[in-house]
Amino acid sequence: MMNRKLKKIYISCDMEGINGVCSDRHREMGNLFYEWARQQTTRELSTVISEFKKRGVEEFVVNDSHDYMLNLHIDELPEGTSLISGTHKTDSMMEGVDAGFDGAVFIGYHGRCGLHRAVLSHTYSDSIYHAEINGIWFGETTINAAYCGEKDIPVLLVSGDDVLADEVRRLATGTKSVITKYGISRSAGRMLHPAQVTGHYQKAVEEVCQSEIKPFRLESPYHLAITLREPQMVDIALRVPGTVRTGESSLEFSHNDYITTYRAFLAIQTLASGSYLK
């Protein structure tokens, strides 16, 4: 059984891993299929919240974690939910995480950058070509799970494609995966019927409540090794104190504190994204 009673859950909700989503036309605001994708995201999120509510969870804090982070509407979410919405958040996809949560859930997540079969794969932004922390090739699931682990919070459940499920297994924490689709390429996938995905969520939540799930932790010191897509991205990212250039398009950063390391990564990818020459 869980080593703690679940009463308050943090949910980070992305979009690329949602069932049916496979294109920029789905994930970018104003594009042809965005509104459908936004509604499908809300449906999957609401399913998870409802299933946990049936099992006694009383409070949910949802962090809209996709793109401009303005995709979810609070009036469309179940009662007992509060929503962190808006773009400028110091800790981005992990904004609002603190030791008061009994567990975390990642909805609509995706594979890490560089995986050919992971649908809409990237690691925080398309400026990142490859990223490692303490020698581990990481995606958003891993680096965000480590953030939660720093607060002693286990990641209970992660949803996304079958490629992402492998990254979840590598955490070795007992975290449950919900497969929403099967990757074919970065822009194509085999989608499951929504009723089947709902069943996967129901089964996973039931398993969470019957399982021992541990927080994911990395050992200090923390060492980032990042390859960016263009050399000029490194030129600008070196503005982050403590970064060291290690190649034409690569740099490193080390620190004894995880939150500082996480924020350094966010700053590096943000500066790199803004420096891209068109």
Side-chain angles (χ1 to χ4, degrees):
M1 300 295 289
M2 284 293 297
N3 60 357
R4 65 184 85 191
K5 195 167 185 179
L6 297 177
K7 289 296 182 183
K8 184 178 180 181
I9 289 180
Y10 179 90
I11 303 178
S12 173
C13 186
D14 206 349
M15 185 180 286
E16 285 88 353
I18 295 296
N19 184 33
V21 174
C22 63
S23 166
D24 288 344
R25 293 177 178 86
H26 289 115
R27 67 174 178 166
E28 293 181 357
M29 194 175 293
N31 279 349
L32 182 60
F33 301 118
Y34 168 78
E35 182 57 25
W36 178 88
R38 190 196 70 75
Q39 292 178 10
Q40 181 62 20
T41 301
T42 302
R43 285 189 285 268
E44 290 192 25
L45 172 61
S46 296
T47 294
V48 172
I49 292 172
S50 297
E51 290 301 316
F52 274 112
K53 285 183 75 172
K54 291 176 185 176
R55 292 160 179 82
V57 179
E58 298 172 351
E59 184 178 354
F60 302 85
V61 176
V62 176
N63 183 16
D64 189 332
S65 299
H66 175 68
D67 202 18
Y68 291 105
M69 303 181 178
L70 297 168
N71 311 283
L72 301 171
H73 299 172
I74 186 61
D75 59 332
E76 296 176 350
L77 300 179
E79 290 186 21
T81 305
S82 60
L83 175 65
I84 300 173
S85 182
T87 304
H88 295 115
K89 307 169 184 173
T90 301
D91 289 333
S92 189
M93 300 177 80
M94 292 289 96
E95 186 67 32
V97 173
D98 61 43
F101 290 97
D102 301 307
V105 172
F106 299 164
I107 299 297
Y109 270 44
H110 49 80
R112 57 196 186 272
C113 58
L115 293 173
H116 77 279
R117 205 171 56 78
V119 179
L120 294 172
S121 59
H122 61 280
T123 302
Y124 267 87
S125 76
D126 290 336
S127 65
I128 304 292
Y129 182 76
H130 186 82
E132 295 185 3
I133 185 166
N134 291 9
I136 300 170
W137 179 14
F138 70 84
E140 293 168 17
T141 293
T142 299
I143 196 170
N144 291 350
Y147 185 106
C148 292
E150 189 71 9
K151 310 285 186 178
D152 198 34
I153 300 169
V155 177
L156 307 174
L157 181 157
V158 180
S159 72
D161 67 19
D162 63 311
V163 181
L164 177 65
D166 181 64
E167 184 176 349
V168 175
R169 280 191 294 272
R170 291 171 186 268
L171 298 178
T173 56
T175 301
K176 307 305 176 186
S177 290
V178 170
I179 294 176
T180 60
K181 55 195 167 193
Y182 290 85
I184 294 173
S185 71
R186 192 172 184 272
S187 57
R190 177 168 65 87
M191 308 304 167
L192 304 179
H193 190 277
Q196 187 176 1
V197 174
T198 295
H200 289 174
Y201 278 118
Q202 291 169 336
K203 180 181 178 182
V205 171
E206 182 65 30
E207 289 176 349
V208 162
C209 295
Q210 298 176 354
S211 302
E212 184 76 21
I213 301 175
K214 303 177 294 184
F216 175 71
R217 295 186 178 92
L218 295 168
E219 291 188 8
S220 178
Y222 307 102
H223 180 74
L224 290 170
I226 299 171
T227 302
L228 300 173
R229 293 196 178 274
E230 300 288 346
Q232 76 271 9
M233 292 180 173
V234 178
D235 297 336
I236 301 302
L238 288 173
R239 292 175 179 176
V240 177
T243 51
V244 177
R245 189 175 213 134
T246 56
E248 293 299 319
S249 298
S250 60
L251 73 164
E252 295 182 354
F253 176 90
S254 297
H255 205 278
N256 291 326
D257 178 70
Y258 184 78
I259 303 302
T260 299
T261 306
Y262 174 85
R263 290 176 176 174
F265 171 74
L266 294 182
I268 289 166
Q269 64 87 20
T270 300
L271 287 168
S273 297
S275 72
Y276 188 71
L277 299 178
K278 296 183 179 180

